[in-house]
Amino acid sequence: MDFAFSEDQLSFRDAVRDLLTRECTASVVRDAWSNADGRSGQVWDLLAEMGVLGILAPEVDGGLGMTMIDLVLLIEECGRVALPEPIIEHAVVCAPIIGGVVSGSRTVTSFIGGSPFALYADSCEVALVERDRRLFTVERAALRLTPETAVDGSRRLSTLEWSDSDATEVGGPLEAVAAFDRGALGAAALLLGLSHRMLEMSVEYASERRQFGAPIGSFQAIKHHLANARIALEFARPLVTRAAYSLSVGDPDASTHVSMAKAQASDAAMLTSEHALQCHGAIGYSYEYDLHMWMKRVWALSSSWGDAGLHRARVAKAVL
Amino acid sequence: MELAFSPSEEIFRQEVRAWLLENVPSNAMPSGDTREGFEAHIDWERRLFDARLAVVSWPKEFGGRDASLWEWIIFEEEYYRAGAPQRVTQNGIFLLAPSIFQFGTPEQQERFLPKMASGEETWCQGWSEPDAGSDLAAVSSRAVRDEAAGGWRLSGQKTWTTRGAFCTHLFGLFRTDPDAQRHHGLTYLLVPLDTPGVTVRGFGRLDGDEGFAEVFFEDAFVSDDFVLGEVNSGWGVAMATAGSERGLTLRSPGRFTATADRLLALWREHGDPKDTQLRDAVTQAWIDTEAYRLQTLGVVTTLSKGGHAGPEASMVKIFWSELDVRLHELAMRILGPRAEVAETAWAKGWQFALSGPIYAGTNEIQRNVVAERVLGLPRK
């Protein structure tokens, strides 16, 4: 028994954290709210150069042929900086299925698992789509897009239509379920990262902001809000790690483990965003302050890839 | 990362499981928090000790097996899974013993540990006082030096002392330097409860069992051999004990996974499938139990590699105590009007669970610890 990441996994995490802290600043995220494609520009290319995007792609396809346990911490780092990119769709969902496409210079989005929207379909070259529980790829040129405006201005949404004649089959029902599971686990990891950053922002702010002659973070009401968020995250993380491990080793209960992780991470992230906003007070409610960009990403991701209710129902089916 | 136990650990599990299957009484014993039940539980403790299963993680010389933390986790899983009796020796073997291993002299270890393991001597915790609860550093019970007799004369009162009416010994904090303030000038003393000048009065807990006691000290003498750690340094010893209580030793995941298993079985038998709200709450309680088990595996991994459990232990205490309440609350909801029947495991367990957020440092105090020492928020 050894429920810990390896030294290699941790140092890769540290390297990705350094890169993202340097390159994916809050102003990059803010720019993505108003730029043409809603994305980060060069940060995506830097992640590709580091090999992050192809970790799950098979080696014969030019990827690293590694597993989810090698990737999960890196996805969390992407959440920490609120990276505005199709990281789940491209690197987590599509890489094991269409590794050649992912490892090339083209970016892939996905439109599977009953989601009403695809993310960044307008700037991705290929989409992985689902029809009748089977997976297909469709080239961007063959897709008809209907855009939709999201609360998180960096999330460029659209619904997709395509003709069967333009779709190339790449997987059946088993692959479709596995792809959805990976997406849900990826979302759970992003939610952890987003939440830890919101908590950091809140601790920093509550330590500096003074009222009644003292930092507001010295008041028990504030302390208990933020402690509750920290506790919720403490007991979400091990479920996310375990689900990543189960996907890596092909555990027969992996889908249930993923659902436990996504339900817990969704709830913990929503709780953290509520407490973060409350502890910031009015400044947190302002558009100029960064917190709202993290909160809105949490709102989106907590209900994407199955919300807590859907995943609890999946767990209920398996264990009750 | 590796999420399986080793073959030798699984062999240990099989041995423990087989012994428990053979030996756990089929009829429930009376509550260990009554005089009659306490005696029956001590007999049970003796059988565990004879099988060298009372204190598996202790060194062999004191009655243990030198079991690893992983084997201890396994033992606990099997113990609760088998529905084995409550451990009335727990405050000694889980709370005091780690401090005796850390701070006791070889003579003290030899004197106290084997009899603690066998149940011959049983220990209660003497910390809280009428005016010192969450604010433990406010203790005012005193120990005055008796140089001629080579020891200390105790006066004052302890309260909320669990099973104090039945135990043979008490460990507690006493003020030995009257001029020192707060957590300075306190000494950790071991006190036989049959010492002249010690009076114990049992009283009822929430469930009516005589599980609480007040302990009065009137010029009661203990010799220097009964000081644990240095004189006037008792706070540090007590904090080490508090770490054990809040952290790992008292609350292994096995207890909660066993309760969650029973909750799921109760749902399958009595739950209304149309009540999706209750179904989701039961499912969430199961998810939380799994989260607790896995979080513990992470902590044990850290400890096994030589790391330490820091202030994060306060998060663990908050989580398990509130989880325990939730598990029982849900059972009450499933049982509906049947929940009122007093002598059921759920009704007893529910009343006991309600003490969790209060004892071992209230959850409000623990949240302050999390905020200040884990998150780094300002004290003032």
Side-chain angles (χ1 to χ4, degrees), chain B residues 33-332:
Chain B
D33 297 283
T34 61
R35 185 167 296 283
E36 172 204 11
F38 188 82
E39 297 305 328
H41 280 76
I42 290 297
D43 290 343
W44 164 252
E45 290 287 334
R46 180 74 210 188
R47 288 167 65 193
L48 277 175
F49 179 73
D50 290 341
R52 286 200 309 121
L53 289 171
V55 286
V56 291
S57 60
W58 290 17
K60 289 196 176 73
E61 55 185 305
F62 300 120
R65 294 178 174 231
D66 288 304
S68 69
L69 277 172
W70 294 119
E71 288 167 328
W72 176 78
I73 292 275
I74 289 169
F75 173 81
E76 293 276 307
E77 278 179 7
E78 292 301 319
Y79 192 85
Y80 284 102
R81 188 178 162 275
Q86 73 179 108
R87 303 295 304 272
V88 295
T89 54
Q90 66 173 28
N91 286 0
I93 61 178
F94 293 146
L95 302 186
L96 172 58
S99 298
I100 292 185
F101 281 118
Q102 189 178 347
F103 296 96
T105 63
E107 293 74 25
Q108 286 176 323
Q109 293 180 358
E110 188 52 44
R111 159 69 187 79
F112 293 114
L113 292 172
K115 288 181 177 176
M116 184 190 296
S118 69
E120 182 181 340
E121 291 180 349
T122 47
W123 291 83
C124 57
Q125 176 175 280
W127 287 2
S128 293
E129 297 181 359
D131 293 320
S134 286
D135 185 8
L136 181 60
V139 295
S140 61
S141 289
R142 288 198 304 152
V144 177
R145 184 76 194 143
D146 184 337
E147 201 61 58
W152 299 84
R153 296 201 169 273
L154 314 184
S155 59
Q157 182 194 344
K158 297 290 179 182
T159 192
W160 319 122
T161 307
T162 294
R163 288 183 287 278
F166 321 127
C167 287
T168 60
H169 288 69
L170 171 144
F171 57 94
L173 277 181
F174 293 82
R175 197 160 285 287
T176 38
D177 180 353
D179 298 327
Q181 295 296 308
R182 305 287 298 161
H183 53 277
H184 301 289
L186 298 170
T187 298
Y188 197 118
L189 293 174
L190 309 175
V191 188
L193 288 171
D194 61 359
T195 303
V198 177
T199 309
V200 181
R201 186 188 79 82
F203 62 103
R205 299 184 313 191
L206 189 71
D207 62 2
D209 289 349
E210 198 187 345
F212 272 151
E214 298 175 295
V215 185
F216 300 90
F217 304 90
E218 293 166 282
D219 203 32
F221 177 80
V222 294
S223 74
D224 287 332
D225 305 341
F226 287 66
V227 175
L228 186 61
E230 299 296 315
V231 170
N232 293 331
S233 300
W235 184 260
V237 184
M239 287 304 101
T241 310
S244 303
E245 184 175 12
R246 283 202 286 274
L248 198 57
T249 53
L250 199 52
R251 297 299 166 234
S252 69
R255 176 175 149 197
F256 305 104
T257 48
T259 306
D261 282 337
R262 286 171 47 227
L263 178 67
L264 263 51
L266 187 73
W267 168 261
R268 290 183 200 112
E269 192 180 348
H270 294 294
D272 175 0
K274 291 191 295 295
D275 189 347
T276 52
Q277 196 192 10
L278 188 51
R279 181 205 67 190
D280 278 7
V282 169
T283 308
Q284 183 57 43
W286 170 258
I287 294 172
D288 285 334
T289 306
E290 273 289 278
Y292 184 72
R293 185 177 70 81
L294 291 163
Q295 197 271 357
T296 303
L297 297 184
V299 172
V300 173
T301 298
T302 302
L303 295 175
S304 299
K305 293 177 178 177
H308 296 283
E312 286 77 8
S314 288
M315 295 195 277
V316 174
K317 193 268 165 169
I318 292 165
F319 194 82
W320 68 247
S321 60
E322 296 178 2
L323 170 63
D324 201 26
V325 170
R326 214 152 50 239
L327 289 168
H328 286 86
E329 221 164 39
L330 288 165
M332 299 287 104

Side-chain angles (χ1 to χ4, degrees), chain A residues 30 44 60 65 74 98 119 127 136 155 157 207 210 218-219 223 225 231 240 244 250 269 279 296 305 310 317:
Chain A
R30 191 171 287 278
W44 189 246
V60 291
L74 314 184
I98 44 174
L119 189 59
F136 305 85
R155 282 174 64 85
L157 307 178
S207 300
R210 297 176 72 87
S218 67
F219 303 139
K223 282 181 176 167
H225 273 327
I231 293 162
V240 174
C279 292
K296 289 168 182 170
W305 298 101
L310 179 144
K317 211 170 171 187

Side-chain angles (χ1 to χ4, degrees), chain A residues 24 71 99 119 137 152 181-182 193 206 216 228 248 266 272 274 305:
Chain A
C24 188
L71 181 60
L119 189 59
T137 52
D152 176 344
D181 284 343
R182 286 196 302 278
I216 61 169
N228 285 338
S248 296
S266 293
T272 304
E274 275 169 37
W305 298 101

